[in-house]
Amino acid sequence: MHQLLRRSLPALAALGIAVGAPLLTAGAAQAQAEHGCGTVGVQFSVDGGKGWISDGRMSQPHGVIQVRLAGDVVDGCDYRISLASYDTEGPTWATSGKQTFLGWATTTLRSGNRQATLDVSAHLPKCYGQIDLYNGDKKFDGVANPAPRYPDGVFPDNLISAWNGGKACAPTPTGTPTVPVPTSSASPTATATPHPTGTPTATTTPSVTATASPSTTAKPSAPATTGTPSSGTPSTTPAVPAPSAPADTTGPVGKPTANPVSTTPASTLASTGGNSSQMIVYGAGGAALLAVGGGALVIARRRGARR
């Protein structure tokens, strides 16, 4: 019996080592993979991919921005990035006042899709405005989520880059244009004063002398225009639009990083063919076999040494 046990102990030890070690290794790898998603670097381009930058502030408003992940990205980790455009009441973050949502675009980046294009070019502010590039896929439109409003930013820890600036909108003319109606006064005068003179003389040969000297004086005066007719120019002159204000460099500065949607890679379960609970059970069983096998090997050596 002892000889049978002594012969089986080395085999049992080898079995424990062979089965337990891979299971323990797999369990450790599984645990490491589950915590593999982390913050990665992000870069963006405003010139169609010719140049890539990592700047927390933008000097110009850009409606089309390409974004990409930088550095190592664990398989199965997702990163969502969005771009939003707003009308504001002032050219700086501190004077932005009430912000009106204009447009929004979002994308999801991962190891197999590290680059994408965000486009809000059809919704750029025409006057004062703000543009935000940030982590996440929430739409801060004042309906689903609150719109930005100084001094409370809606994404203080998720901002990648931002722009504030623009120009004041031209004021709308008020009042109704008036066109003066010309007035004229004509005072024609006509005076006719007949002066007939006649001295009849009765003689043998009657002669009649009749002298008619009518005097007619007509002096029509030219019409007097008392009003100056206008060519139809409105009485109010539109103001010239103010020049564009320089971009705000004192607003919130973003961080060129992308935060993962989850700390657990989405492909972990598919790649291992099991779940973490199963791996824990298998790992515990392997550890038990390893312990039994190691203990059996020690016992076998000790008995061999005694003999």
Side-chain angles (χ1 to χ4, degrees):
M1 182 68 180
H2 292 288
Q3 291 181 354
L4 179 61
L5 179 62
R6 195 171 77 177
R7 292 176 182 176
S8 61
L9 285 178
L12 184 61
L15 177 62
I17 294 173
V19 175
L23 289 176
L24 289 176
T25 303
Q30 173 75 10
Q32 183 178 4
E34 286 185 352
H35 298 84
C37 291
T39 301
V40 299
V42 61
Q43 298 175 327
F44 63 94
S45 174
V46 297
D47 57 4
K50 297 178 182 178
W52 294 88
I53 56 178
S54 299
D55 197 339
R57 296 291 299 175
M58 290 183 278
S59 60
Q60 297 292 332
H62 299 285
V64 180
I65 296 180
Q66 290 180 307
V67 292
R68 72 179 183 185
L69 300 179
D72 297 332
V73 181
V74 177
D75 291 340
C77 298
D78 290 343
Y79 300 84
R80 294 171 185 165
I81 300 177
S82 299
L83 181 67
S85 176
Y86 302 90
D87 271 339
T88 64
E89 297 178 345
T92 66
W93 168 239
T95 61
S96 58
K98 180 182 178 181
Q99 298 199 18
T100 304
F101 175 79
L102 297 177
W104 172 79
T106 189
T107 187
T108 300
L109 302 180
R110 55 179 63 92
S111 60
N113 179 37
R114 299 171 64 100
Q115 181 176 322
T117 299
L118 299 172
D119 188 351
V120 295
S121 57
H123 308 285
L124 287 177
K126 295 180 175 59
C127 306
Y128 294 135
Q130 176 173 314
I131 294 178
D132 295 311
L133 180 67
Y134 59 96
N135 285 280
D137 59 354
K138 286 186 177 181
K139 182 190 292 186
F140 296 96
D141 57 354
V143 179
N145 296 284
R149 186 178 181 91
Y150 179 83
D152 301 321
V154 292
F155 24 68
D157 298 326
N158 295 330
L159 187 65
I160 297 174
S161 189
W163 169 85
N164 290 86
K167 61 183 179 181
C169 288
T172 303
T174 58
T176 304
T178 58
V179 179
V181 179
T183 60
S184 61
S185 60
S187 304
T189 57
T191 305
T193 308
H195 299 284
T197 59
T199 306
T201 303
T203 60
T204 305
T205 303
S207 62
V208 178
T209 303
T211 303
S213 302
S215 175
T216 303
T217 304
K219 297 179 181 180
S221 60
T225 304
T226 59
T228 302
S230 173
S231 60
T233 304
S235 59
T236 57
T237 304
V240 178
S244 297
D248 179 22
T249 58
T250 61
V253 178
K255 297 179 295 184
T257 57
N259 300 326
V261 175
S262 172
T263 57
T264 303
S267 61
T268 297
L269 299 182
S271 62
T272 58
N275 55 39
S276 58
S277 299
Q278 290 176 339
M279 294 306 300
I280 293 174
V281 173
Y282 294 157
L289 288 175
L290 185 61
V292 171
L297 184 60
V298 171
I299 293 173
R301 287 181 178 177
R302 286 181 178 177
R303 289 188 176 183
R306 291 175 182 176
R307 296 187 180 198

